[in-house]
Amino acid sequence: MTKTPSARGKIFFFSGPSGVGKGTLINYLRETKTDWIFPPSCTTRAPRPGEIDGETYFFITKEEFEARIKKGDFLEYAHVHGDTYYGTLKAEILEPIAEGKTVIREFDVQGFSQARERLDRNDFVSIFLRPAEDLDTLVRRIKERAPITEEELAKRVNSMEKELELADIYDYQIFSEDGNLEKLFNDAEAIIRQEQSD
Ligand code: 5GP
């Protein structure tokens, strides 16, 4: 017997340290789940060659961004790289959820912490991607892959440790094994399928 899917959709948030396979997972889902929604963020930075307004980002002016902050249009936003704003519009997520759609979004831990305060608990599911290896193995692999200064390495390790400390606030944690993307894809899809039928 199959359950009738609930009328309201859900957003699935993915976080995890850089290099864990998040981008690859989201790209895979984007290519294979054509009825799912992958909402772009807004930014005040200029488009780079090849970037499309409304696809890569919504490119808006600083004035418009600040006006929309005042109106309370953002689910979360951040001032990144000096004077550039980045943010997620509430409507880009809430409208598809109201239409029963599955929405997928990648966030860093800070972005997710803000967003979850502003959403109905039933509207989101959060998934943290964790490297299956311990930190020493990861550091060794980073060093083997490309030349890296000690300073850059220390920065990467520090941000990885910070992200891992906050992993417990997520509903699910899945392990990403180096070279086993198929398992990562299957684990993520299994969680999404299960949550969609709840
Ligand atoms: P880029 O300018 O290279 O496209 O992105 C730079 C940074 O902005 C990335 O680290 C990315 O995580 C962050 N970013 C992109 N979109 C958003 C967003 O909607 N909210 C927040 N808080 N950060 C974002």
Side-chain angles (χ1 to χ4, degrees):
M1 199 176 74
T2 50
K3 262 194 201 170
T4 313
S6 60
R8 200 165 166 81
K10 271 182 188 160
I11 176 154
F12 293 84
F13 289 120
F14 287 92
S15 298
S18 84
V20 79
K22 235 178 340 175
T24 316
L25 170 65
I26 306 252
N27 284 340
Y28 161 78
L29 295 176
R30 197 193 300 272
E31 277 162 23
T32 54
K33 318 289 173 195
T34 48
D35 53 340
W36 293 3
I37 306 293
F38 299 82
S41 306
C42 282
T43 183
T44 59
R45 79 155 165 76
R48 298 180 187 134
E51 290 186 336
I52 299 166
D53 188 32
E55 271 185 34
T56 325
Y57 284 108
F58 294 108
F59 294 99
I60 63 173
T61 61
K62 191 173 169 219
E63 290 68 35
E64 187 180 349
F65 203 106
E66 288 175 345
R68 299 197 78 162
I69 294 174
K70 280 208 189 102
K71 270 170 65 192
D73 285 354
F74 287 103
L75 183 62
E76 65 80 46
Y77 70 92
H79 231 139
V80 189
H81 302 152
D83 206 27
T84 306
Y85 285 108
Y86 292 89
T88 313
L89 289 170
K90 276 185 200 158
E92 291 296 314
I93 284 169
L94 294 180
E95 283 171 13
I97 289 180
E99 290 166 8
K101 303 238 167 76
T102 293
V103 186
I104 304 288
R105 209 31 225 275
E106 170 187 348
F107 261 137
D108 63 13
V109 174
Q110 275 79 21
F112 169 64
S113 310
Q114 274 191 59
R116 69 176 185 149
E117 299 297 326
R118 297 178 189 166
L119 283 174
D120 187 307
R121 187 62 194 91
N122 295 317
D123 279 351
F124 71 89
V125 174
S126 56
I127 304 168
F128 190 87
L129 271 51
R130 248 193 124 92
E133 296 89 353
D134 61 21
L135 207 58
D136 289 345
T137 315
L138 286 173
V139 167
R140 204 181 56 234
R141 182 137 20 83
I142 291 171
K143 280 179 165 169
E144 280 166 6
R145 274 188 188 156
I148 186 164
T149 63
E150 283 302 317
E151 195 189 343
E152 186 54 34
L153 185 64
K155 254 199 236 160
R156 291 271 294 270
V157 170
N158 187 266
S159 76
M160 218 186 284
E161 280 175 330
K162 270 201 198 135
E163 294 240 321
L164 291 172
E165 268 169 28
L166 291 166
D168 290 346
I169 66 173
Y170 288 76
D171 298 321
Y172 296 90
Q173 295 191 28
I174 52 184
F175 286 91
S176 171
E177 288 170 18
D178 194 39
N180 195 352
L181 283 169
E182 206 179 319
K183 179 179 173 293
L184 184 67
F185 297 166
N186 288 340
D187 287 353
E189 281 187 73
I191 292 171
I192 295 171
R193 261 199 313 276
Q194 185 200 318
E195 290 281 348
Q196 281 170 326
S197 60
D198 275 353

